[in-house]
Amino acid sequence: MSTPVLEIGKLNKTFLTSKGAVHALHQIDLTIKEGEFITVIGPSGCGKSTLLKIVAGLDNRFDGDVKLSGKQVTGPGIDKGFVFQEPRLFPWLTVEKNIAADLSLRNPQVRQKVDELIELVRLTGFEKSYPRELSGGMAQRVAIARALLRNPKVLLLDEPFGALDAFTRAHMQEVLLDIWQKNRTTMIFVTHDIDEAVFLANRIVILKPRPGAIRAVVPVDLPFPRKKASTSFQQLRYTVLNEFEKIEELELIDSSGI
């Protein structure tokens, strides 16, 4: 994991609204190495999703540099996979056709890749099922497989488990880690959940709001599989929680005018 796949330098993002300019992101500097699993966490309104959309090429109105494999990101492309909070599957297509998307399953290479991904996301036996026949976790696994179809250099996940119940969410965390360990795709995962951030990441990027800026980057050196009840896990959880408390203290000071 030594080659930088994503380089973000002096990234600033401002939204123009009817009430004036809103500075969403301020001086974001971040380098992500090939094969890393990064989680991004922070209070609501700190720019987590905005940052992800810029990296995905869905928003190109910003100042600064965002380079993927040395090339400036100017728009969406097959080198960037994106998974939203909702699966966004086509209801009239089966699991295998949703994964294939605009590619034909009659192509032997596409067929082979789709079959491999179905096995990777643990959906063997559900190839011919429709979205209405799937649970929320299964539908999200289809979305992840679809995002991986073209072997993206980075997979961007915007709170993909946020709408799931606690049991399904924990299961999906295990599934995603298994996918990452087998595939080694570079992943950037946005979440509000501290336990989830510690459980998944090599590094945790903590953002503070107004404007969104990096408060801290916390390395996670725990071996896999991780146990959330372990002392080392809870110590790292406390480290992240402590940064959140500092953010809240700063916000109280700002709001009081001290």
Side-chain angles (χ1 to χ4, degrees):
M1 295 200 305
S2 58
T3 305
V5 67
L6 183 67
E7 297 168 281
I8 302 172
K10 294 181 170 49
L11 172 62
N12 290 276
K13 171 65 183 180
T14 300
F15 289 102
L16 298 177
T17 71
S18 58
K19 296 181 180 179
V22 176
H23 196 183
L25 294 172
H26 178 69
Q27 294 293 97
I28 302 293
D29 287 299
L30 184 64
T31 298
I32 297 174
K33 297 175 183 177
E34 186 175 0
E36 272 197 290
F37 198 131
I38 301 294
T39 52
V40 181
I41 191 167
S44 295
C46 68
K48 300 185 298 294
S49 294
T50 299
L51 176 61
L52 217 60
K53 288 175 182 175
I54 288 173
V55 173
L58 299 174
D59 183 345
N60 57 15
R61 296 183 178 181
F62 61 87
D63 294 319
D65 290 315
V66 179
K67 295 180 179 179
L68 185 63
S69 296
K71 296 181 180 179
Q72 189 75 30
V73 173
T74 57
I78 62 173
D79 53 354
K80 301 174 287 291
F82 202 106
V83 179
F84 297 89
Q85 185 170 341
E86 308 83 23
R88 301 191 180 186
L89 303 182
F90 300 112
W92 59 88
L93 296 181
T94 61
V95 164
E96 60 185 8
K97 289 183 178 179
N98 260 289
I99 294 172
D102 59 336
L103 301 180
S104 173
L105 287 168
R106 295 178 182 177
N107 182 319
Q109 291 179 323
V110 175
R111 173 84 266 175
Q112 181 181 351
K113 182 66 176 179
V114 169
D115 289 345
E116 289 172 354
L117 287 168
I118 286 172
E119 183 177 356
L120 182 66
V121 300
R122 306 180 189 178
L123 284 174
T124 301
F126 293 91
E127 297 90 339
K128 307 296 183 184
S129 299
Y130 288 88
R132 64 179 179 274
E133 300 171 314
L134 306 177
S135 67
M138 293 169 73
Q140 199 60 292
R141 278 183 267 163
V142 176
I144 292 169
R146 181 174 60 191
L148 289 171
L149 180 65
R150 290 178 169 87
N151 298 314
K153 293 176 181 176
V154 60
L155 181 63
L156 308 164
L157 304 104
D158 192 4
E159 297 191 66
F161 309 149
L164 303 177
D165 63 83
F167 179 82
T168 305
R169 186 171 188 152
H171 175 66
M172 285 300 298
Q173 291 167 4
E174 296 276 5
V175 171
L176 186 62
L177 269 182
D178 184 52
I179 292 169
W180 173 71
Q181 289 173 327
K182 289 177 178 176
N183 233 32
R184 288 295 170 177
T185 301
T186 306
M187 297 193 184
I188 306 175
F189 185 106
V190 164
T191 179
H192 276 100
D193 190 304
I194 293 175
D195 282 3
E196 186 168 69
V198 176
F199 187 75
L200 294 173
N202 299 131
R203 287 190 294 156
I204 302 170
V205 177
I206 303 172
L207 297 184
K208 68 177 188 67
R210 291 184 291 277
I214 295 178
R215 165 72 194 181
V217 178
V218 179
V220 184
D221 296 324
L222 302 178
F224 294 104
R226 294 172 180 171
K227 302 296 182 184
K228 294 179 181 178
S230 70
T231 301
S232 55
F233 188 98
Q234 290 302 316
Q235 287 173 339
L236 263 168
R237 184 184 187 279
Y238 176 77
T239 298
V240 177
L241 186 60
N242 189 44
E243 291 295 339
F244 269 77
E245 290 173 351
K246 291 177 182 176
I247 290 171
E248 290 175 357
E249 289 171 3
L250 289 172
E251 287 190 284
L252 286 172
I253 291 172
D254 288 343
S255 62
S256 64
I258 297 174

